[in-house]
Coordinates of all heavy atoms in Angstrom, one line a residue:
M127 N -50.9 -7.9 78.7 CA -51.0 -6.8 77.7 C -51.6 -7.4 76.5 O -51.1 -8.5 76.0 CB -49.6 -6.2 77.5 CG -49.7 -4.9 76.6 SD -48.1 -4.2 76.2 CE -47.5 -3.7 77.8
S128 N -52.6 -6.7 75.9 CA -53.3 -7.2 74.7 C -52.2 -7.1 73.5 O -51.3 -6.4 73.4 CB -54.6 -6.5 74.5 OG -54.3 -5.2 73.9
K129 N -52.6 -7.9 72.5 CA -51.8 -7.9 71.2 C -52.0 -6.4 70.6 O -51.0 -5.9 70.1 CB -52.5 -8.9 70.3 CG -51.6 -9.4 69.2 CD -52.2 -10.5 68.5 CE -51.2 -11.2 67.6 NZ -51.7 -12.4 67.0
K130 N -53.2 -5.9 70.6 CA -53.3 -4.6 70.0 C -52.5 -3.5 70.8 O -51.9 -2.6 70.2 CB -54.7 -4.1 69.9 CG -55.4 -5.1 68.9 CD -57.0 -4.8 68.9 CE -57.6 -5.9 68.0 NZ -59.1 -5.9 68.1
R131 N -52.4 -3.6 72.1 CA -51.7 -2.6 72.9 C -50.2 -2.7 72.6 O -49.5 -1.7 72.5 CB -51.9 -2.8 74.4 CG -51.1 -2.1 75.4 CD -51.2 -0.7 75.3 NE -52.5 -0.1 75.6 CZ -52.7 1.2 75.5 NH1 -51.9 2.0 75.1 NH2 -53.9 1.7 75.7
K132 N -49.8 -4.0 72.5 CA -48.3 -4.2 72.0 C -48.0 -3.6 70.5 O -47.1 -3.0 70.5 CB -48.0 -5.6 72.1 CG -47.8 -6.2 73.4 CD -47.3 -7.7 73.2 CE -47.1 -8.2 74.7 NZ -46.7 -9.8 74.6
L133 N -48.9 -3.8 69.8 CA -48.8 -3.1 68.5 C -48.9 -1.6 68.5 O -48.0 -0.9 67.9 CB -50.0 -3.6 67.5 CG -50.0 -3.2 66.1 CD1 -48.6 -3.5 65.4 CD2 -51.0 -3.7 65.3
L134 N -49.7 -1.1 69.3 CA -49.7 0.3 69.5 C -48.4 0.9 69.9 O -47.8 2.0 69.4 CB -50.9 0.8 70.3 CG -51.0 2.3 70.7 CD1 -51.2 3.1 69.4 CD2 -52.2 2.5 71.7
E135 N -47.9 0.2 71.1 CA -46.6 0.6 71.5 C -45.4 0.6 70.4 O -44.5 1.4 70.4 CB -46.4 -0.2 72.8 CG -47.1 0.3 74.0 CD -46.9 -0.4 75.3 OE1 -45.7 -1.0 75.3 OE2 -47.6 -0.3 76.2
K136 N -45.5 -0.5 69.7 CA -44.6 -0.5 68.5 C -44.6 0.6 67.6 O -43.6 1.1 67.3 CB -44.8 -1.9 67.9 CG -43.9 -2.2 66.7 CD -44.2 -3.5 66.0 CE -43.3 -3.8 64.8 NZ -43.7 -5.1 64.2
V137 N -45.8 1.0 67.4 CA -46.1 2.0 66.4 C -45.5 3.4 67.1 O -44.9 4.3 66.5 CB -47.5 2.3 65.9 CG1 -47.8 3.6 65.3 CG2 -47.9 1.1 65.1
L138 N -45.9 3.6 68.4 CA -45.5 4.8 69.1 C -44.0 4.9 69.3 O -43.6 6.0 69.4 CB -46.2 4.8 70.5 CG -47.9 5.1 70.3 CD1 -48.4 5.0 71.7 CD2 -48.1 6.4 69.7
S139 N -43.4 3.8 69.3 CA -41.9 3.8 69.6 C -41.2 4.3 68.3 O -39.9 4.5 68.3 CB -41.4 2.4 69.9 OG -41.3 1.5 68.8
G140 N -41.9 4.4 67.2 CA -41.3 5.0 65.9 C -40.9 3.8 64.9 O -40.2 4.1 64.0
S141 N -41.2 2.6 65.1 CA -40.9 1.5 64.3 C -41.4 1.8 63.0 O -42.5 2.1 62.6 CB -41.4 0.2 64.8 OG -41.0 -0.8 64.0
K142 N -40.6 1.6 61.8 CA -41.0 1.6 60.6 C -41.3 0.3 59.9 O -41.6 0.1 58.7 CB -40.0 2.4 59.7 CG -39.6 3.7 60.2 CD -39.1 4.6 59.2 CE -38.7 6.0 59.6 NZ -39.4 6.6 60.7
N143 N -41.1 -0.8 60.8 CA -41.4 -2.2 60.2 C -42.7 -2.7 60.7 O -42.9 -3.6 61.6 CB -40.3 -2.9 61.0 CG -40.3 -4.5 60.3 OD1 -40.8 -4.6 59.2 ND2 -39.8 -5.4 61.1
I144 N -43.7 -2.0 60.3 CA -45.2 -2.2 60.5 C -45.8 -3.0 59.4 O -45.8 -2.5 58.3 CB -46.0 -1.0 60.9 CG1 -45.3 -0.2 61.9 CG2 -47.4 -1.5 61.3 CD1 -45.2 -0.8 63.4
H145 N -46.3 -4.2 59.5 CA -46.9 -4.8 58.4 C -48.4 -4.3 58.2 O -49.0 -3.7 59.1 CB -47.1 -6.3 58.8 CG -45.8 -7.1 58.8 ND1 -45.3 -7.6 57.8 CD2 -45.0 -7.4 59.8 CE1 -44.1 -8.2 58.0 NE2 -43.8 -8.1 59.4
F146 N -48.8 -4.4 56.9 CA -50.0 -3.8 56.6 C -51.1 -4.4 57.3 O -52.0 -3.7 57.8 CB -50.2 -3.9 55.1 CG -51.6 -3.4 54.5 CD1 -51.7 -2.0 54.4 CD2 -52.6 -4.2 54.2 CE1 -52.9 -1.4 54.0 CE2 -53.8 -3.6 53.9 CZ -53.9 -2.2 53.7
N147 N -51.1 -5.6 57.5 CA -52.2 -6.3 58.2 C -52.2 -5.8 59.8 O -53.4 -5.8 60.2 CB -52.1 -7.9 58.2 CG -52.2 -8.3 56.8 OD1 -52.9 -7.8 55.9 ND2 -51.8 -9.5 56.5
E148 N -51.0 -5.6 60.3 CA -51.1 -5.0 61.7 C -51.7 -3.7 61.8 O -52.4 -3.4 62.7 CB -49.6 -5.1 62.1 CG -48.9 -6.3 62.4 CD -47.5 -6.3 62.8 OE1 -46.8 -5.2 62.3 OE2 -47.1 -7.1 63.4
I149 N -51.3 -2.8 60.8 CA -51.9 -1.5 60.9 C -53.4 -1.5 60.7 O -54.1 -0.7 61.3 CB -51.1 -0.4 60.0 CG1 -51.4 0.9 60.5 CG2 -51.5 -0.7 58.6 CD1 -50.9 1.3 61.9
V150 N -53.9 -2.3 59.8 CA -55.2 -2.5 59.5 C -56.1 -3.0 60.8 O -57.1 -2.3 61.2 CB -55.6 -3.4 58.3 CG1 -57.1 -3.8 58.3 CG2 -55.2 -2.8 57.0
A151 N -55.4 -3.9 61.5 CA -56.0 -4.3 62.8 C -56.0 -3.3 63.8 O -57.1 -3.1 64.5 CB -55.2 -5.6 63.3
L152 N -55.1 -2.4 63.8 CA -54.9 -1.3 64.8 C -55.9 -0.2 64.4 O -56.6 0.3 65.3 CB -53.5 -0.7 64.8 CG -53.2 0.3 65.8 CD1 -53.4 -0.3 67.2 CD2 -51.8 0.8 65.7
V153 N -56.0 0.1 63.1 CA -57.1 1.2 62.9 C -58.5 0.8 63.1 O -59.2 1.5 63.5 CB -56.8 1.6 61.3 CG1 -57.3 0.6 60.3 CG2 -57.3 3.0 61.1
E154 N -58.7 -0.6 62.9 CA -60.1 -1.1 63.2 C -60.3 -1.1 64.7 O -61.4 -1.0 65.1 CB -60.3 -2.4 62.6 CG -60.4 -2.3 61.1 CD -60.5 -3.8 60.3 OE1 -60.1 -4.8 61.0 OE2 -60.8 -3.7 59.2
A155 N -59.3 -1.3 65.5 CA -59.4 -1.4 67.0 C -59.7 0.0 67.4 O -60.2 0.2 68.5 CB -58.1 -1.9 67.5
F156 N -59.5 1.1 66.7 CA -59.7 2.4 67.1 C -61.1 2.8 66.7 O -61.6 4.0 66.8 CB -58.6 3.4 66.5 CG -57.5 3.5 67.4 CD1 -56.2 3.1 66.9 CD2 -57.5 4.0 68.7 CE1 -55.1 3.2 67.7 CE2 -56.4 4.0 69.4 CZ -55.2 3.7 69.0
G157 N -61.7 1.9 66.1 CA -63.2 2.2 65.6 C -63.4 2.5 64.2 O -64.6 2.9 63.8
F158 N -62.4 2.4 63.4 CA -62.6 2.8 62.0 C -63.0 1.5 61.3 O -62.8 0.4 61.7 CB -61.2 3.1 61.4 CG -60.8 4.6 61.9 CD1 -59.9 4.7 63.0 CD2 -61.0 5.7 61.0 CE1 -59.6 5.9 63.4 CE2 -60.5 6.9 61.4 CZ -59.9 7.1 62.6
T159 N -63.7 1.7 60.2 CA -64.2 0.7 59.3 C -63.8 0.9 57.8 O -63.7 2.0 57.4 CB -65.7 0.5 59.3 OG1 -66.3 1.7 59.0 CG2 -66.2 0.1 60.7
L160 N -63.5 -0.1 57.2 CA -63.0 0.0 55.7 C -64.3 0.5 54.9 O -65.4 -0.1 54.8 CB -62.6 -1.3 55.2 CG -62.1 -1.3 53.8 CD1 -60.9 -0.5 53.6 CD2 -61.9 -2.7 53.3
S161 N -64.2 1.7 54.3 CA -65.1 2.2 53.6 C -65.1 1.8 52.0 O -66.0 1.4 51.5 CB -65.1 3.8 53.7 OG -66.0 4.4 52.7
R162 N -63.9 1.9 51.5 CA -63.8 1.5 50.1 C -62.2 1.2 49.9 O -61.3 1.6 50.6 CB -64.3 2.6 49.2 CG -63.5 3.9 49.3 CD -64.3 5.0 48.5 NE -63.6 6.2 48.6 CZ -63.8 7.1 49.6 NH1 -64.6 6.8 50.4 NH2 -63.3 8.3 49.6
V163 N -62.0 0.6 48.7 CA -60.6 0.3 48.3 C -60.6 0.9 46.8 O -61.4 0.5 46.1 CB -60.2 -1.2 48.2 CG1 -58.9 -1.4 47.6 CG2 -60.4 -1.8 49.6
N164 N -59.6 1.8 46.6 CA -59.5 2.4 45.3 C -58.0 2.1 45.0 O -57.1 2.9 45.3 CB -59.8 3.9 45.4 CG -59.8 4.5 44.1 OD1 -59.6 3.9 43.0 ND2 -60.0 5.9 44.0
G165 N -57.8 1.1 44.0 CA -56.5 0.8 43.7 C -55.7 0.1 44.9 O -56.2 -0.8 45.5
S166 N -54.6 0.8 45.3 CA -53.9 0.3 46.4 C -54.4 1.1 47.7 O -53.8 0.7 48.7 CB -52.3 0.4 46.3 OG -52.0 1.7 46.1
H167 N -55.2 1.9 47.6 CA -55.5 2.9 48.7 C -56.8 2.2 49.5 O -57.8 2.0 48.8 CB -55.9 4.2 48.3 CG -54.8 5.0 47.7 ND1 -54.1 5.9 48.3 CD2 -54.3 5.0 46.4 CE1 -53.1 6.3 47.5 NE2 -53.3 5.8 46.3
H168 N -56.7 2.0 50.7 CA -57.6 1.4 51.5 C -58.2 2.6 52.4 O -57.4 3.2 53.2 CB -57.2 0.3 52.5 CG -56.8 -0.9 51.8 ND1 -55.7 -1.0 50.9 CD2 -57.4 -2.2 51.6 CE1 -55.6 -2.3 50.3 NE2 -56.7 -2.9 50.8
I169 N -59.4 3.0 52.2 CA -60.0 4.2 52.9 C -60.8 3.7 54.1 O -61.8 3.0 53.9 CB -60.8 5.0 51.9 CG1 -60.0 5.2 50.6 CG2 -61.3 6.3 52.5 CD1 -58.7 6.0 50.7
F170 N -60.5 4.3 55.2 CA -61.3 3.9 56.5 C -61.9 5.2 56.9 O -61.5 6.3 56.8 CB -60.2 3.4 57.5 CG -59.7 2.1 57.2 CD1 -58.5 2.0 56.4 CD2 -60.2 0.9 57.6 CE1 -57.9 0.8 56.1 CE2 -59.6 -0.2 57.3 CZ -58.5 -0.3 56.5
T171 N -63.2 5.0 57.4 CA -63.9 6.0 58.0 C -64.3 5.7 59.6 O -64.3 4.5 60.0 CB -65.3 6.2 57.3 OG1 -66.0 5.0 57.4 CG2 -65.1 6.7 55.9
H172 N -64.6 6.8 60.3 CA -64.9 6.6 61.7 C -66.3 7.5 61.9 O -66.4 8.6 61.3 CB -63.9 7.2 62.6 CG -64.0 6.9 64.0 ND1 -64.9 7.6 64.9 CD2 -63.4 5.9 64.9 CE1 -64.8 6.9 66.1 NE2 -63.9 6.1 66.0
P173 N -67.1 6.9 62.6 CA -68.5 7.5 62.7 C -68.4 8.9 63.5 O -69.3 9.8 63.2 CB -69.3 6.6 63.6 CG -68.4 5.6 64.1 CD -67.2 5.6 63.3
D174 N -67.4 9.1 64.3 CA -67.2 10.4 65.0 C -66.2 11.4 64.4 O -66.0 12.5 65.1 CB -66.8 10.1 66.4 CG -68.0 9.2 67.1 OD1 -69.1 9.4 66.8 OD2 -67.5 8.5 68.0
I175 N -65.5 11.1 63.4 CA -64.4 11.8 62.9 C -64.7 12.1 61.4 O -64.9 11.2 60.6 CB -63.1 11.2 63.0 CG1 -62.8 10.8 64.4 CG2 -62.0 11.9 62.4 CD1 -61.6 10.1 64.8
P176 N -64.6 13.4 61.0 CA -64.8 13.7 59.6 C -63.7 13.3 58.6 O -63.9 13.2 57.4 CB -65.0 15.3 59.7 CG -64.3 15.7 60.8 CD -64.4 14.6 61.8
E177 N -62.5 13.3 59.1 CA -61.4 12.9 58.3 C -61.4 11.5 57.9 O -61.8 10.6 58.7 CB -59.9 13.3 58.9 CG -59.7 14.7 59.1 CD -60.0 15.4 60.4 OE1 -60.8 14.6 61.2 OE2 -59.7 16.5 60.6
L178 N -60.7 11.1 56.9 CA -60.5 9.8 56.3 C -59.0 9.2 56.7 O -58.2 10.1 56.9 CB -60.7 9.5 54.8 CG -62.1 10.1 54.3 CD1 -62.0 10.1 52.8 CD2 -63.2 9.3 54.9
V179 N -59.0 7.9 56.8 CA -57.7 7.4 57.0 C -57.4 6.5 55.7 O -58.1 5.6 55.3 CB -57.6 6.4 58.2 CG1 -56.4 5.8 58.2 CG2 -57.8 7.3 59.5
N180 N -56.2 6.9 55.1 CA -55.8 6.3 53.8 C -54.6 5.4 54.2 O -53.6 5.8 54.7 CB -55.5 7.2 52.8 CG -55.0 6.7 51.6 OD1 -55.2 5.6 51.2 ND2 -54.0 7.5 50.9
L181 N -54.7 4.1 53.9 CA -53.6 3.2 54.0 C -53.2 2.5 52.7 O -54.2 2.2 52.1 CB -53.9 2.3 55.2 CG -54.2 2.8 56.5 CD1 -54.6 1.7 57.5 CD2 -53.0 3.5 57.2
Q182 N -52.0 2.3 52.6 CA -51.7 1.7 51.2 C -50.6 0.4 51.9 O -50.0 0.5 52.7 CB -50.7 2.5 50.4 CG -51.5 3.5 49.7 CD -50.5 4.5 48.9 OE1 -50.0 5.4 49.4 NE2 -50.4 4.1 47.6
N183 N -50.8 -0.7 51.0 CA -50.1 -1.9 51.2 C -48.9 -1.8 50.2 O -49.1 -2.0 48.9 CB -50.9 -3.2 50.9 CG -50.3 -4.4 51.2 OD1 -49.0 -4.5 51.4 ND2 -51.0 -5.5 51.3
R184 N -47.8 -1.7 50.6 CA -46.5 -1.7 49.8 C -45.7 -3.0 50.1 O -45.0 -2.9 51.1 CB -45.7 -0.5 50.0 CG -46.3 0.8 49.4 CD -45.3 1.8 49.0 NE -45.9 3.0 48.7 CZ -45.5 4.2 48.9 NH1 -44.5 4.5 49.6 NH2 -46.2 5.3 48.4
N185 N -45.9 -4.0 49.4 CA -45.2 -5.3 49.6 C -45.3 -5.7 51.0 O -44.4 -6.2 51.5 CB -43.7 -5.1 49.3 CG -43.5 -4.7 47.9 OD1 -44.1 -5.2 47.0 ND2 -42.5 -3.7 47.7
G186 N -46.6 -5.7 51.4 CA -46.9 -6.2 52.7 C -46.6 -5.3 53.9 O -46.9 -5.7 55.1
K187 N -46.0 -4.2 53.8 CA -45.6 -3.2 54.7 C -46.7 -2.0 54.6 O -47.2 -1.8 53.5 CB -44.2 -2.8 54.5 CG -43.3 -3.9 54.6 CD -42.9 -4.2 56.1 CE -41.8 -5.3 55.9 NZ -41.5 -5.8 57.3
S188 N -46.7 -1.3 55.7 CA -47.5 0.0 55.7 C -46.5 1.1 55.3 O -45.3 1.1 55.4 CB -48.1 0.2 57.0 OG -47.1 0.4 58.1
V189 N -47.2 2.2 54.9 CA -46.3 3.5 54.5 C -46.1 4.3 55.7 O -47.1 4.7 56.4 CB -47.1 4.2 53.4 CG1 -46.3 5.4 53.0 CG2 -47.3 3.3 52.3
P190 N -44.8 4.5 56.2 CA -44.6 5.3 57.4 C -45.4 6.6 57.7 O -45.9 6.8 58.7 CB -43.1 5.5 57.5 CG -42.6 4.3 56.6 CD -43.7 4.2 55.6
Y191 N -45.5 7.4 56.6 CA -46.2 8.7 56.9 C -47.8 8.5 57.1 O -48.3 9.3 57.8 CB -45.9 9.7 55.7 CG -46.8 9.5 54.5 CD1 -48.0 10.2 54.3 CD2 -46.3 8.7 53.4 CE1 -48.8 9.9 53.2 CE2 -47.1 8.5 52.3 CZ -48.3 9.2 52.2 OH -49.2 9.0 51.1
Q192 N -48.2 7.5 56.5 CA -49.7 7.2 56.8 C -50.0 6.7 58.1 O -50.9 7.0 58.8 CB -50.1 6.2 55.6 CG -50.2 6.7 54.4 CD -50.6 5.7 53.2 OE1 -50.4 4.5 53.5 NE2 -51.0 6.3 52.0
V193 N -49.0 5.9 58.7 CA -49.0 5.5 60.1 C -49.0 6.8 61.0 O -49.8 6.8 62.0 CB -48.0 4.5 60.5 CG1 -48.0 4.2 62.0 CG2 -48.1 3.2 59.6
R194 N -48.2 7.7 60.7 CA -47.9 8.8 61.5 C -49.3 9.7 61.4 O -49.7 10.2 62.5 CB -46.8 9.7 61.0 CG -45.4 9.2 61.4 CD -44.3 10.2 61.1 NE -44.2 10.6 59.9 CZ -43.4 10.0 58.9 NH1 -42.8 8.9 59.2 NH2 -43.4 10.4 57.6
Q195 N -49.9 9.7 60.2 CA -51.1 10.5 60.1 C -52.2 9.9 61.1 O -53.1 10.6 61.6 CB -51.6 10.5 58.6 CG -50.8 11.5 57.8 CD -51.2 11.3 56.3 OE1 -51.7 10.3 55.8 NE2 -50.8 12.4 55.5
L196 N -52.2 8.6 61.1 CA -53.1 7.9 61.9 C -53.0 8.3 63.4 O -54.0 8.5 64.1 CB -53.2 6.3 61.6 CG -53.9 5.4 62.7 CD1 -55.4 5.7 62.6 CD2 -53.5 4.0 62.6
M197 N -51.8 8.2 63.8 CA -51.5 8.5 65.2 C -51.7 9.9 65.5 O -52.3 10.1 66.7 CB -50.0 8.2 65.5 CG -49.6 6.8 65.5 SD -50.5 5.8 66.8 CE -51.8 5.1 65.8
I198 N -51.7 10.9 64.6 CA -52.1 12.2 64.8 C -53.5 12.4 65.0 O -54.0 13.1 66.0 CB -51.6 13.1 63.6 CG1 -50.1 13.3 63.7 CG2 -52.3 14.5 63.6 CD1 -49.6 13.9 62.4
L199 N -54.3 11.6 64.3 CA -55.8 11.7 64.4 C -56.2 10.9 65.8 O -57.1 11.4 66.4 CB -56.4 10.8 63.3 CG -56.6 11.5 62.0 CD1 -57.3 10.6 61.0 CD2 -57.4 12.8 62.1
V200 N -55.5 9.9 66.1 CA -55.8 9.3 67.5 C -55.6 10.3 68.5 O -56.3 10.4 69.4 CB -54.9 8.0 67.6 CG1 -55.0 7.4 69.1 CG2 -55.4 6.9 66.5
E201 N -54.5 11.0 68.5 CA -54.1 11.9 69.5 C -55.2 13.2 69.5 O -55.7 13.6 70.6 CB -52.8 12.5 69.4 CG -52.3 13.3 70.5 CD -50.8 13.8 70.4 OE1 -50.1 13.0 69.8 OE2 -50.5 14.9 71.0
E202 N -55.4 13.7 68.3 CA -56.3 14.8 68.1 C -57.7 14.6 68.7 O -58.3 15.5 69.4 CB -56.3 15.2 66.7 CG -57.1 16.5 66.4 CD -57.0 16.8 64.9 OE1 -56.1 16.5 64.2 OE2 -57.9 17.4 64.5
Y203 N -58.3 13.3 68.5 CA -59.6 13.0 68.8 C -59.7 12.2 70.1 O -60.7 11.7 70.4 CB -60.3 12.4 67.6 CG -60.6 13.4 66.5 CD1 -59.8 13.5 65.4 CD2 -61.7 14.2 66.5 CE1 -60.0 14.3 64.4 CE2 -61.9 15.1 65.5 CZ -61.2 15.1 64.4 OH -61.3 15.9 63.4
A204 N -58.5 11.9 70.8 CA -58.4 11.2 71.9 C -59.1 9.8 71.8 O -59.9 9.4 72.7 CB -59.0 12.0 73.1
L205 N -58.8 9.0 70.7 CA -59.3 7.8 70.5 C -58.7 6.8 71.4 O -57.5 6.9 71.7 CB -59.2 7.3 69.0 CG -59.8 8.3 68.0 CD1 -59.6 7.8 66.7 CD2 -61.3 8.3 68.2
T206 N -59.5 5.7 71.8 CA -59.0 4.6 72.5 C -59.2 3.3 71.9 O -60.2 3.2 71.1 CB -59.7 4.6 74.0 OG1 -61.1 4.4 73.9 CG2 -59.3 5.9 74.8
L207 N -58.4 2.4 72.2 CA -58.6 1.0 71.7 C -59.9 0.4 72.1 O -60.3 0.7 73.3 CB -57.4 0.1 72.0 CG -56.0 0.4 71.5 CD1 -55.0 -0.4 72.0 CD2 -56.1 0.3 70.0
E208 N -60.7 -0.4 71.3 CA -61.9 -0.8 71.7 C -61.9 -1.8 72.9 O -62.9 -2.0 73.5 CB -62.6 -1.4 70.5 CG -63.1 -0.4 69.4 CD -63.8 -0.9 68.2 OE1 -63.6 -2.3 68.0 OE2 -64.5 -0.3 67.5
D209 N -60.9 -2.6 73.0 CA -60.9 -3.5 74.0 C -60.5 -3.0 75.5 O -60.4 -3.7 76.4 CB -59.9 -4.6 73.7 CG -58.4 -4.1 73.6 OD1 -58.2 -2.9 73.5 OD2 -57.5 -5.1 73.7
E210 N -60.4 -1.7 75.5 CA -60.0 -1.0 76.8 C -61.3 -0.3 77.3 O -62.2 0.1 76.8 CB -58.9 -0.1 76.7 CG -57.8 -0.8 76.3 CD -56.5 0.3 76.1 OE1 -56.7 1.5 75.8 OE2 -55.4 -0.2 76.2

């Protein structure tokens, strides 16, 4: 099982202990790219999706509601990890 797949399963299990670097790696694995950084907000875009993904780094951790928003987009647009 790949590292990104394990991380996805950790997120889907409802874990609130997701490091910011882990969620950035996961969002990039779904095909998003960093568009810009505005203060603590890291804005990611996807070529096939009109919505933006906003992630914040809070003391090295991700913000739980932003992780949930990402998972909603993944489900809504049936995104898959790039290594699959």
Side-chain angles (χ1 to χ4, degrees):
M127 185 182 298
S128 73
K129 203 174 195 182
K130 291 175 186 167
R131 170 61 60 189
K132 283 184 181 180
L133 180 57
L134 177 59
E135 288 186 11
K136 180 180 175 181
V137 169
L138 291 174
S139 73
S141 175
K142 299 202 181 336
N143 189 24
I144 309 293
H145 292 276
F146 180 74
N147 293 340
E148 292 176 327
I149 198 65
V150 168
L152 189 61
V153 78
E154 290 174 344
F156 278 115
F158 289 86
T159 56
L160 182 64
S161 172
R162 61 189 181 274
V163 177
N164 188 358
S166 66
H167 296 263
H168 293 69
I169 311 298
F170 293 85
T171 58
H172 192 283
D174 302 326
I175 298 176
E177 287 98 348
L178 301 174
V179 172
N180 172 32
L181 299 175
Q182 288 176 276
N183 184 348
R184 287 204 183 143
N185 300 323
K187 304 280 186 183
S188 60
V189 180
Y191 81 88
Q192 293 172 340
V193 174
R194 284 192 304 272
Q195 288 174 340
L196 169 63
M197 290 299 102
I198 289 169
L199 283 179
V200 166
E201 186 176 335
E202 185 177 332
Y203 289 97
L205 298 177
T206 58
L207 293 173
E208 287 182 343
D209 64 341
E210 296 183 336

